[in-house]
Short mmCIF file of all heavy atoms in Angstrom, two decimals:
data_model
loop_
_atom_site.label_atom_id
_atom_site.label_comp_id
_atom_site.label_asym_id
_atom_site.label_seq_id
_atom_site.Cartn_x
_atom_site.Cartn_y
_atom_site.Cartn_z
N ARG A 18 100.77 86.65 121.09
CA ARG A 18 99.78 87.30 121.96
C ARG A 18 100.51 88.03 123.10
O ARG A 18 100.72 87.49 124.18
CB ARG A 18 98.82 86.26 122.53
CG ARG A 18 97.56 86.85 123.15
CD ARG A 18 96.71 85.78 123.82
NE ARG A 18 96.40 84.68 122.93
CZ ARG A 18 95.41 84.68 122.04
NH1 ARG A 18 94.64 85.75 121.92
NH2 ARG A 18 95.19 83.62 121.29
N THR A 19 100.91 89.28 122.84
CA THR A 19 101.66 90.09 123.79
C THR A 19 101.02 91.47 123.89
O THR A 19 100.25 91.88 123.01
CB THR A 19 103.12 90.27 123.34
OG1 THR A 19 103.13 91.02 122.11
CG2 THR A 19 103.80 88.92 123.13
N PRO A 20 101.36 92.25 124.93
CA PRO A 20 100.86 93.63 125.01
C PRO A 20 101.25 94.46 123.79
O PRO A 20 100.48 95.32 123.35
CB PRO A 20 101.51 94.15 126.30
CG PRO A 20 101.68 92.93 127.14
CD PRO A 20 102.04 91.83 126.18
N LEU A 21 102.46 94.22 123.22
CA LEU A 21 102.88 94.97 122.05
C LEU A 21 101.94 94.72 120.88
O LEU A 21 101.54 95.64 120.16
CB LEU A 21 104.32 94.60 121.67
CG LEU A 21 104.96 95.37 120.51
CD1 LEU A 21 106.47 95.52 120.74
CD2 LEU A 21 104.73 94.69 119.17
N VAL A 22 101.57 93.46 120.67
CA VAL A 22 100.67 93.12 119.57
C VAL A 22 99.27 93.67 119.83
O VAL A 22 98.61 94.17 118.91
CB VAL A 22 100.65 91.60 119.34
CG1 VAL A 22 99.48 91.19 118.44
CG2 VAL A 22 101.96 91.14 118.71
N GLU A 23 98.83 93.61 121.07
CA GLU A 23 97.51 94.15 121.38
C GLU A 23 97.45 95.65 121.09
O GLU A 23 96.45 96.16 120.57
CB GLU A 23 97.18 93.86 122.85
CG GLU A 23 96.92 92.38 123.11
CD GLU A 23 96.86 92.04 124.59
OE1 GLU A 23 97.08 92.97 125.41
OE2 GLU A 23 96.61 90.88 124.93
N ALA A 24 98.55 96.36 121.42
CA ALA A 24 98.60 97.79 121.10
C ALA A 24 98.65 98.01 119.60
O ALA A 24 98.05 98.97 119.06
CB ALA A 24 99.81 98.43 121.76
N GLN A 25 99.36 97.13 118.90
CA GLN A 25 99.46 97.25 117.46
C GLN A 25 98.11 97.03 116.78
O GLN A 25 97.79 97.68 115.77
CB GLN A 25 100.46 96.22 116.93
CG GLN A 25 100.75 96.34 115.44
CD GLN A 25 101.78 95.32 114.98
OE1 GLN A 25 102.51 94.78 115.78
NE2 GLN A 25 101.79 95.07 113.70
N ILE A 26 97.32 96.12 117.32
CA ILE A 26 95.98 95.89 116.77
C ILE A 26 95.18 97.19 116.81
O ILE A 26 94.52 97.58 115.84
CB ILE A 26 95.26 94.77 117.55
CG1 ILE A 26 95.94 93.42 117.27
CG2 ILE A 26 93.78 94.72 117.17
CD1 ILE A 26 95.47 92.30 118.18
N ALA A 27 95.26 97.89 117.94
CA ALA A 27 94.54 99.16 118.06
C ALA A 27 95.08 100.20 117.08
O ALA A 27 94.30 100.93 116.45
CB ALA A 27 94.64 99.67 119.50
N ASP A 28 96.42 100.27 116.94
CA ASP A 28 97.02 101.22 116.00
C ASP A 28 96.58 100.94 114.56
O ASP A 28 96.26 101.84 113.80
CB ASP A 28 98.55 101.17 116.08
CG ASP A 28 99.09 101.89 117.29
OD1 ASP A 28 98.33 102.66 117.92
OD2 ASP A 28 100.28 101.71 117.61
N GLN A 29 96.61 99.66 114.19
CA GLN A 29 96.23 99.28 112.83
C GLN A 29 94.76 99.59 112.57
O GLN A 29 94.39 100.01 111.47
CB GLN A 29 96.49 97.78 112.63
CG GLN A 29 97.95 97.40 112.56
CD GLN A 29 98.52 97.46 111.15
OE1 GLN A 29 98.00 98.17 110.29
NE2 GLN A 29 99.58 96.73 110.92
N ALA A 30 93.92 99.37 113.58
CA ALA A 30 92.50 99.67 113.42
C ALA A 30 92.29 101.15 113.12
O ALA A 30 91.50 101.52 112.23
CB ALA A 30 91.73 99.26 114.68
N ARG A 31 93.04 102.01 113.85
CA ARG A 31 92.92 103.45 113.59
C ARG A 31 93.47 103.81 112.21
O ARG A 31 92.87 104.61 111.49
CB ARG A 31 93.68 104.23 114.67
CG ARG A 31 92.98 104.25 116.02
CD ARG A 31 93.64 105.25 116.96
NE ARG A 31 94.99 104.83 117.32
CZ ARG A 31 95.27 104.05 118.36
NH1 ARG A 31 94.29 103.60 119.13
NH2 ARG A 31 96.51 103.72 118.64
N THR A 32 94.62 103.24 111.85
CA THR A 32 95.25 103.56 110.57
C THR A 32 94.38 103.16 109.38
O THR A 32 94.25 103.90 108.40
CB THR A 32 96.63 102.86 110.45
OG1 THR A 32 97.48 103.35 111.49
CG2 THR A 32 97.29 103.14 109.09
N HIS A 33 93.76 101.99 109.47
CA HIS A 33 92.99 101.45 108.34
C HIS A 33 91.50 101.75 108.43
O HIS A 33 90.77 101.49 107.47
CB HIS A 33 93.20 99.94 108.24
CG HIS A 33 94.61 99.53 107.94
ND1 HIS A 33 95.18 99.67 106.70
CD2 HIS A 33 95.57 99.00 108.73
CE1 HIS A 33 96.43 99.22 106.72
NE2 HIS A 33 96.69 98.83 107.95
N GLY A 34 91.06 102.27 109.57
CA GLY A 34 89.65 102.58 109.72
C GLY A 34 88.77 101.34 109.77
O GLY A 34 87.65 101.34 109.23
N ILE A 35 89.26 100.27 110.41
CA ILE A 35 88.50 99.04 110.54
C ILE A 35 88.47 98.62 112.01
O ILE A 35 89.15 99.21 112.84
CB ILE A 35 89.10 97.90 109.67
CG1 ILE A 35 90.56 97.62 110.07
CG2 ILE A 35 89.01 98.26 108.19
CD1 ILE A 35 91.20 96.47 109.30
N SER A 36 87.70 97.58 112.30
CA SER A 36 87.61 97.12 113.69
C SER A 36 88.85 96.33 114.08
O SER A 36 89.60 95.85 113.22
CB SER A 36 86.37 96.24 113.87
OG SER A 36 86.57 94.98 113.24
N GLU A 37 89.05 96.16 115.38
CA GLU A 37 90.21 95.40 115.86
C GLU A 37 90.11 93.93 115.46
O GLU A 37 91.12 93.30 115.15
CB GLU A 37 90.35 95.56 117.37
CG GLU A 37 90.72 96.99 117.77
CD GLU A 37 91.07 97.13 119.24
OE1 GLU A 37 91.13 96.10 119.94
OE2 GLU A 37 91.27 98.28 119.68
N ASP A 38 88.90 93.37 115.47
CA ASP A 38 88.74 91.98 115.02
C ASP A 38 89.15 91.83 113.57
O ASP A 38 89.77 90.83 113.17
CB ASP A 38 87.29 91.52 115.20
CG ASP A 38 86.94 91.25 116.66
OD1 ASP A 38 87.88 91.12 117.48
OD2 ASP A 38 85.74 91.18 116.98
N GLU A 39 88.81 92.81 112.75
CA GLU A 39 89.18 92.76 111.34
C GLU A 39 90.69 92.88 111.15
O GLU A 39 91.25 92.29 110.21
CB GLU A 39 88.45 93.87 110.56
CG GLU A 39 86.97 93.63 110.36
CD GLU A 39 86.30 94.81 109.67
OE1 GLU A 39 86.36 95.93 110.21
OE2 GLU A 39 85.72 94.60 108.58
N VAL A 40 91.35 93.63 112.03
CA VAL A 40 92.81 93.73 111.95
C VAL A 40 93.43 92.34 112.10
O VAL A 40 94.32 91.95 111.36
CB VAL A 40 93.36 94.68 113.04
CG1 VAL A 40 94.88 94.57 113.12
CG2 VAL A 40 92.96 96.12 112.74
N VAL A 41 92.95 91.59 113.09
CA VAL A 41 93.50 90.25 113.34
C VAL A 41 93.23 89.33 112.16
O VAL A 41 94.14 88.67 111.65
CB VAL A 41 92.93 89.65 114.63
CG1 VAL A 41 93.40 88.21 114.82
CG2 VAL A 41 93.35 90.50 115.83
N THR A 42 91.99 89.28 111.71
CA THR A 42 91.63 88.30 110.68
C THR A 42 92.04 88.71 109.27
O THR A 42 92.45 87.87 108.47
CB THR A 42 90.11 88.04 110.70
OG1 THR A 42 89.41 89.28 110.48
CG2 THR A 42 89.69 87.46 112.04
N LYS A 43 91.96 90.02 108.96
CA LYS A 43 92.19 90.46 107.59
C LYS A 43 93.61 90.95 107.33
O LYS A 43 94.04 91.03 106.17
CB LYS A 43 91.20 91.57 107.22
CG LYS A 43 89.76 91.10 107.17
CD LYS A 43 88.83 92.22 106.72
CE LYS A 43 87.38 91.73 106.62
NZ LYS A 43 86.45 92.81 106.18
N ILE A 44 94.35 91.30 108.40
CA ILE A 44 95.71 91.82 108.21
C ILE A 44 96.73 90.87 108.84
O ILE A 44 97.59 90.32 108.16
CB ILE A 44 95.86 93.24 108.79
CG1 ILE A 44 94.94 94.21 108.04
CG2 ILE A 44 97.31 93.71 108.70
CD1 ILE A 44 94.95 95.62 108.60
N MET A 45 96.62 90.64 110.14
CA MET A 45 97.66 89.87 110.83
C MET A 45 97.71 88.41 110.40
O MET A 45 98.79 87.85 110.20
CB MET A 45 97.45 89.96 112.34
CG MET A 45 97.77 91.33 112.91
SD MET A 45 97.63 91.38 114.70
CE MET A 45 98.40 92.97 115.03
N LEU A 46 96.55 87.78 110.26
CA LEU A 46 96.54 86.36 109.97
C LEU A 46 96.46 86.04 108.48
O LEU A 46 96.54 84.87 108.10
CB LEU A 46 95.38 85.68 110.72
CG LEU A 46 95.45 85.74 112.24
CD1 LEU A 46 94.29 84.97 112.87
CD2 LEU A 46 96.78 85.20 112.77
N THR A 47 96.35 87.05 107.65
CA THR A 47 96.26 86.79 106.20
C THR A 47 97.49 86.07 105.65
O THR A 47 97.35 85.11 104.89
CB THR A 47 96.03 88.10 105.44
OG1 THR A 47 94.73 88.60 105.76
CG2 THR A 47 96.12 87.90 103.93
N PRO A 48 98.74 86.48 106.01
CA PRO A 48 99.89 85.82 105.38
C PRO A 48 100.27 84.48 105.99
O PRO A 48 101.15 83.79 105.46
CB PRO A 48 101.02 86.83 105.60
CG PRO A 48 100.66 87.54 106.86
CD PRO A 48 99.15 87.62 106.85
N VAL A 49 99.64 84.07 107.10
CA VAL A 49 100.04 82.83 107.77
C VAL A 49 99.08 81.72 107.43
O VAL A 49 97.89 81.94 107.16
CB VAL A 49 100.15 83.01 109.30
CG1 VAL A 49 101.10 84.14 109.64
CG2 VAL A 49 98.79 83.23 109.94
N ALA A 50 99.61 80.48 107.43
CA ALA A 50 98.78 79.31 107.16
C ALA A 50 98.07 78.83 108.43
O ALA A 50 96.95 78.34 108.38
CB ALA A 50 99.63 78.19 106.57
N VAL A 51 98.76 78.97 109.58
CA VAL A 51 98.17 78.58 110.86
C VAL A 51 97.43 79.79 111.41
O VAL A 51 98.04 80.76 111.86
CB VAL A 51 99.26 78.11 111.85
CG1 VAL A 51 98.64 77.70 113.18
CG2 VAL A 51 100.05 76.94 111.25
N LYS A 52 96.13 79.75 111.38
CA LYS A 52 95.31 80.94 111.63
C LYS A 52 95.04 81.17 113.12
O LYS A 52 93.92 81.05 113.62
CB LYS A 52 93.99 80.82 110.88
CG LYS A 52 94.13 80.72 109.38
CD LYS A 52 94.72 81.98 108.76
CE LYS A 52 94.75 81.91 107.24
NZ LYS A 52 95.38 83.11 106.64
#
């Protein structure tokens, strides 16, 4: 949870055309077991 990651969430949302919440749940946390 850093400013870099927060900016990345916004970038990913624009790139994939999805919401920022979806970036966290569907992209960032998908490969990890600890959600």
Side-chain angles (χ1 to χ4, degrees):
R18 195 185 306 277
T19 65
L21 184 147
V22 166
E23 290 168 357
Q25 185 178 341
I26 291 170
D28 283 346
Q29 289 271 24
R31 287 191 293 271
T32 298
H33 296 285
I35 59 178
S36 72
E37 293 189 6
D38 285 344
E39 287 176 301
V40 169
V41 174
T42 58
K43 294 183 178 180
I44 297 176
M45 289 184 168
L46 297 183
T47 293
V49 304
V51 180
K52 299 295 185 182

